[in-house]
Amino acid sequence: MRSNPIPTALTAVLVLLAAGGAAVSLSAAAGIAGWREANPPAGPGAMAPSLTASGKDGKDLLLTWLEPLPAKAGAKAEEDRKAYALRFSRLRYGQWSAPVTVASGDNFFANWADFPAVAQAPDGSLAAHWLAKTGDDTYAYGIFLARSTDGGATWQPAGMLHNDRVPAEHGFVSWLTQPGGLRAFWLDGRETAKKGPMALRTGLVGKAAGAEELLDPRVCDCCQTDAALTSDGPIVAFRDRSDKEVRDIYVIRKTAKGWSQPTPVHADNWQIPGCPVNGPAIAASGRQVAVAWFTAAPPSPKVQIAFSKDGGATFGRPVLIDGDKPLGRVDLVLDRSGEAIVSWLALEGKGAAVRLRRASPQGKAGAPVAVAATGAARSSGFPRTVLSGDRLYLAWVEDGNPSKLRVASLAPGTAVR
């Protein structure tokens, strides 16, 4: 593990963050240790960013976000005034394309933790999903799809991801590109309408959603899923839920014999009566798999990472990423060396900071680096990271009234060591 000292300028930013919690502007942070601004063409109040690498060489970057629309004329109640658009833009050769509206409406379920995303199929077509209301209950919403065959310039509705139409919660989708098409994983609440548990399901998506499969009939209600493709096949990470309300991180793998049974990444034994809204992140290269997650199991909250050498069948002892007031909201990438770069939110002064830290499969971790300031409230959402070409990209919501969507990048080896 590289252990180069943090550059002096970056140390100054860390001191500012720790001292007063004052927001460090992107312009101040962007020139430090190789960071570059790459702000997208998102409007005021944009939220829920999601990043995807695209193109044959992975050098294109696809970004989706939710953007509030102007208030409807004559609306009095605040809730009646809210409408949103799912927006899309592509970063190519350092320039964002003009934003395109994938879908819009006043029935959107716009949530800080359950965000839309876009995925690219092997044939080059794009699929996007978002959440929209399907009933009067607060959490009665479904997962809607759109498809583009011209690189995102135009979009056509493609129905719903799930085959039921029960007015209950469906969401927390993760996408996986695999040979033959796209695979989606999601939390499915059709049984909750009958006082049953939340479930984890998966299905293949082409021009429309195909057949789906039940993977786990009882999982945590509102924690994100994440998926990766190993040389052995797909693997999905999620927060499970036992009969005794232990909600630890589990994985399920697709093997030659079919889907495996759910297995724990690590026994944190976090017993909590409600959902913490804090899902895991997973990345894979060949048979190497890394899973990062947040837990508040005693004695204190922490962010951890664990590695697997056998496609996720077993995991080694967790490596501590942060035990200093972390909020979680993790993301994760593997670089070309097989080391992981983890992103997460942590309390800093009166607000919060987006932190990065490198960890190796050998159990070593570099110094944590605070790279951007934001708020600690739910509205700050979940920072997202992706490797595109030779750069690590980070998208996050900068706190403010209105908030702003920010994107910045760095060469992975320049600052996170």
Side-chain angles (χ1 to χ4, degrees):
M1 173 60 61
R2 294 180 286 274
S3 57
N4 303 53
I6 300 175
T8 303
L10 184 55
T11 303
V13 171
L14 298 181
V15 171
L16 284 171
L17 280 169
V24 178
S25 69
L26 179 60
S27 60
I32 296 171
W35 277 89
R36 298 178 187 169
E37 292 188 11
N39 291 325
M47 60 180 286
S50 180
L51 291 170
T52 304
S54 173
K56 294 182 179 180
D57 53 8
K59 291 185 178 181
D60 283 5
L61 190 68
L62 309 181
L63 174 67
T64 57
W65 67 93
L66 289 177
E67 195 168 299
L69 296 176
K72 292 182 293 182
K76 296 181 180 180
E78 180 65 24
E79 288 301 316
D80 292 338
R81 300 174 68 241
K82 291 183 178 178
Y84 291 88
L86 172 58
R87 306 279 268 168
F88 166 86
S89 183
R90 179 190 296 266
L91 183 69
R92 176 177 290 176
Y93 306 126
Q95 296 292 325
W96 290 102
S97 64
V100 173
T101 296
V102 178
S104 63
D106 57 9
N107 64 338
F108 270 38
F109 184 80
N111 186 266
W112 66 285
D114 197 351
F115 34 83
V118 64
Q120 182 171 13
D123 66 1
S125 63
L126 301 177
H129 85 272
W130 69 96
L131 310 175
K133 299 284 290 182
T134 56
D136 294 332
D137 186 79
T138 301
Y139 296 106
Y141 59 88
I143 305 164
F144 290 78
L145 301 174
R147 186 168 181 262
S148 174
T149 57
D150 56 10
T154 61
W155 295 83
Q156 297 76 41
M160 296 180 74
L161 177 59
H162 41 93
N163 60 27
D164 74 294
R165 297 298 182 263
V166 177
E169 181 180 357
H170 302 75
F172 298 97
V173 180
S174 54
W175 288 96
L176 186 65
T177 302
Q178 63 176 53
L182 289 172
R183 177 174 293 280
F185 300 87
W186 70 94
L187 300 189
D188 193 288
R190 67 187 70 178
E191 294 300 321
T192 64
K194 298 181 284 188
K195 307 301 181 183
M198 184 68 70
L200 175 67
R201 290 180 175 264
T202 185
L204 291 173
V205 177
K207 294 182 179 179
E212 59 186 54
E213 298 173 271
L214 176 66
L215 298 183
D216 191 326
R218 182 182 173 89
V219 300
C220 198
D221 301 73
C222 46
C223 282
Q224 296 78 15
T225 66
D226 200 11
L229 186 64
T230 75
S231 55
D232 295 340
I235 182 171
V236 58
F238 60 99
R239 191 176 293 279
D240 198 52
R241 180 187 177 191
S242 77
D243 293 340
K244 295 182 179 180
E245 300 293 8
V246 174
R247 304 183 190 231
D248 287 346
I249 302 303
Y250 278 57
V251 295
I252 294 176
R253 299 173 296 118
K254 183 71 176 289
T255 70
K257 297 180 179 179
W259 292 103
S260 70
Q261 291 297 308
T263 56
V265 175
H266 179 258
D268 294 321
N269 294 315
W270 186 14
Q271 190 174 37
I272 178 173
C275 179
V277 197
N278 230 316
I282 188 170
S285 176
R287 301 196 78 210
Q288 181 178 317
V289 180
V291 178
W293 72 97
F294 170 85
T295 179
S300 61
K302 51 187 171 289
V303 171
Q304 303 179 114
I305 188 171
F307 290 88
S308 171
K309 299 178 181 179
D310 53 13
T314 61
F315 285 85
R317 179 179 295 182
V319 177
L320 179 64
I321 294 296
D322 192 2
D324 182 19
K325 303 177 183 178
L327 294 171
R329 310 187 201 180
V330 301
D331 205 3
L332 167 69
V333 299
L334 288 178
D335 69 10
R336 294 176 181 174
S337 72
E339 295 182 340
I341 301 174
V342 183
S343 67
W344 72 101
L345 281 187
L347 292 174
E348 291 270 13
K350 297 179 181 179
V354 182
R355 292 177 179 172
L356 299 178
R357 192 170 193 178
R358 182 182 290 271
S360 75
Q362 292 74 37
K364 298 180 181 180
V369 178
V371 293
T374 185
R378 289 184 169 189
S379 57
S380 298
F382 284 66
R384 301 285 87 190
T385 56
V386 70
L387 282 173
S388 180
D390 60 351
R391 309 226 21 117
L392 173 71
Y393 284 84
L394 170 71
W396 75 99
V397 176
E398 185 177 85
D399 202 23
N401 188 18
S403 60
K404 296 179 181 179
L405 184 57
R406 299 294 197 185
V407 175
S409 73
L410 82 164
T414 57
V416 187
R417 303 171 187 255

